[in-house]
Amino acid sequence: MKTHSISRRKFIHNSAIAASGFPFVSSLASVSRAADSPSRKLGFALVGLGGLSNGQLAPALRLTQYCRLAAIVTGTPSKIPTWKTRYNIPDKNVYNYETMEQMADNPDIDVVYVVTPNALHAEHTIKAAKAGKHVFSEKPMEVSVEKCEQMIAAVKKAGRMLGVGYRCQYDPNHIECRRLAREKVFGELKSIEGGFNRNITATEWRVKKALAGGGPLMDVGIYALQTCRFVSGLEPLEVSAKFDPVTDPVKFSEVEEGVEWEMTFPGGLKTKCTTNYNRNDAKGFTVTAEKGTFGLDPAYNYNSSRGTRSDGQAINLPAVNQFAAEMDDFAHCIMNNRPSRVSGEEGLRDVKIMMAIYESARTGQRVKLASL
Ligand code: NAD
């Protein structure tokens, strides 16, 4: 793995990373103490200037300690002037999807953040890897196991690092739920129930199978799936699933309108999740353990998760900007040659499980999961 040797003059303790309660905060502090040379932030290139890049990622980059927006990749020339002016991006750092590989000659860019429709993540990741860049891909990592494996192989061949945008792994309240589960504060886990539903317009690429790969499961159901794995620290042994009835056959002619699925984990933990594109009524999760319950609702908002415990205590730690925290953590991983908690392998596990969920919903059979 090629790493960046970047030292820090100063560690600011109230950074997004510190606020997220990371175990590596002390190691960051020691890095900074040892440092006495000027620091450089890692340059990020955003690929795809749609809703997430515009509304969340570019503003979040301004809040990071270790990253800066250095470049953009877009297929829409009319967006370029505004982005150049707003983020002070020079002409030489503006690319389109065909010229991305020319980034190889651009030392301003360290990390390429892929924010295009799901089924384009592999294409853009592989181009970035060929240009010798580290890659951070939005979730879901891709739309098939094979394409995820191609991404992992390409980035590995380039000797770079691959991460996936699982922002909730940086949310303090999700981290607190994981602590309650792993420290068995309420005893052994029995069940987790959760879901993420949202209404969607019919014109989006999200209802086109070729670009989205699937419906709400690939888009937002993945958050409920991640919760079950992240909170419990376990991998599912088998899944069973069924599609929701289709109430809008025009809108949902290519992808599922909704799906519910159950997973069985080692030790007997059972989970039950829902996801649907035509309802707006599930945004959280409840964990039931031997001696009580806890959970978050809402769980998946960008900056405002909160929840309760059955002993009456609130789960309401101060919010961090999850996107700033995930990007700072990825930069820190690169700088210190430390594996990312949201690695390509982690993204691949979810895609394997989602494929099993689809198989079960299609066949009506339980699907066993091989070792993840
Ligand atoms: P969007 O539709 O708002 O933006 C997508 C961008 O990709 C647009 O700029 C569009 O021009 C570009 N694009 C390039 N080729 C395209 C093509 N062939 N068809 C359509 N668009 C094309 O989507 P978004 O909401 O920004 O989502 C982008 C990615 O980010 C998705 O993978 C999505 O799952 C993910 N996402 C993650 C979060 C999160 O909270 N982590 C939130 C929203 C979206």
Side-chain angles (χ1 to χ4, degrees), residues 190-212:
K190 295 292 179 195
S191 66
I192 303 175
E193 287 200 27
F196 195 167
N197 299 336
R198 74 176 185 116
N199 290 119
I200 200 166
T201 56
T203 51
E204 287 195 51
W205 59 263
R206 285 179 166 83
V207 292
K208 304 286 175 220
K209 183 141 201 246
L211 284 171

Side-chain angles (χ1 to χ4, degrees), residues 234-261:
L234 298 170
E235 300 299 350
L237 300 169
E238 63 174 31
V239 301
S240 66
K242 68 173 196 281
F243 291 123
D244 293 345
V246 179
T247 63
D248 188 338
V250 176
K251 205 196 266 189
F252 300 108
S253 62
E254 296 188 23
V255 300
E256 81 276 4
E257 181 171 328
V259 61
E260 54 183 64
W261 74 98

Side-chain angles (χ1 to χ4, degrees), residues 50-52 79 97 115 118 121 138-139 167 205-206 223:
L52 187 68
K79 291 180 182 171
Y97 302 112
V115 204
N118 307 341
H121 293 176
E138 258 311 322
K139 47 50 66 180
R167 61 180 169 78
W205 59 263
R206 285 179 166 83
Y223 287 90

Side-chain angles (χ1 to χ4, degrees), residues 47-53 74-76 79 97 113-118 120-121 124 138-140 165-167 198 204-206 211 218-219 223 302 323 326:
V47 183
L49 307 180
L52 187 68
S53 287
T74 180
T76 314
K79 291 180 182 171
Y97 302 112
Y113 194 151
V114 177
V115 204
T116 45
N118 307 341
L120 302 177
H121 293 176
H124 297 142
E138 258 311 322
K139 47 50 66 180
Y166 288 131
R167 61 180 169 78
R198 74 176 185 116
E204 287 195 51
W205 59 263
R206 285 179 166 83
L211 284 171
M218 303 289 285
D219 188 27
Y223 287 90
Y302 290 147
F323 296 105
E326 73 175 15

Side-chain angles (χ1 to χ4, degrees), residues 119-268:
L120 302 177
H121 293 176
E123 178 187 330
H124 297 142
T125 293
I126 292 165
K127 283 185 176 174
K130 282 187 178 158
K133 306 302 178 186
H134 302 280
V135 186
F136 203 72
S137 167
E138 258 311 322
K139 47 50 66 180
M141 185 171 165
E142 247 291 353
V143 302
S144 72
V145 169
E146 294 70 28
K147 289 177 85 180
C148 293
E149 288 170 345
Q150 287 164 12
M151 291 165 74
I152 291 170
V155 177
K156 194 171 175 188
K157 187 173 171 200
R160 298 301 184 185
M161 196 172 278
L162 176 60
V164 179
Y166 288 131
R167 61 180 169 78
C168 290
Q169 292 208 19
Y170 299 88
D171 178 83
N173 293 314
H174 282 257
I175 294 169
E176 172 63 3
C177 286
R178 182 181 64 169
R179 184 190 72 78
L180 294 172
R182 309 249 181 125
E183 293 179 6
K184 300 190 195 320
V185 172
F186 292 94
E188 296 289 341
L189 302 193
K190 295 292 179 195
S191 66
I192 303 175
E193 287 200 27
F196 195 167
N197 299 336
R198 74 176 185 116
N199 290 119
I200 200 166
T201 56
T203 51
E204 287 195 51
W205 59 263
R206 285 179 166 83
V207 292
K208 304 286 175 220
K209 183 141 201 246
L211 284 171
L217 178 62
M218 303 289 285
D219 188 27
V220 288
I222 190 172
Y223 287 90
L225 170 57
Q226 263 278 305
T227 290
C228 297
R229 296 181 51 244
F230 180 69
V231 168
S232 70
L234 298 170
E235 300 299 350
L237 300 169
E238 63 174 31
V239 301
S240 66
K242 68 173 196 281
F243 291 123
D244 293 345
V246 179
T247 63
D248 188 338
V250 176
K251 205 196 266 189
F252 300 108
S253 62
E254 296 188 23
V255 300
E256 81 276 4
E257 181 171 328
V259 61
E260 54 183 64
W261 74 98
E262 296 184 10
M263 299 186 285
T264 306
F265 288 76

Side-chain angles (χ1 to χ4, degrees), residues 272-299:
K272 192 172 179 181
C273 299
T274 64
T275 187
N276 189 290
Y277 262 165
N278 220 9
R279 299 203 311 259
N280 210 22
D281 56 354
K283 305 278 178 215
F285 63 87
T286 302
V287 180
T288 301
E290 288 169 311
K291 295 179 286 182
T293 63
F294 56 94
L296 301 179
D297 196 353

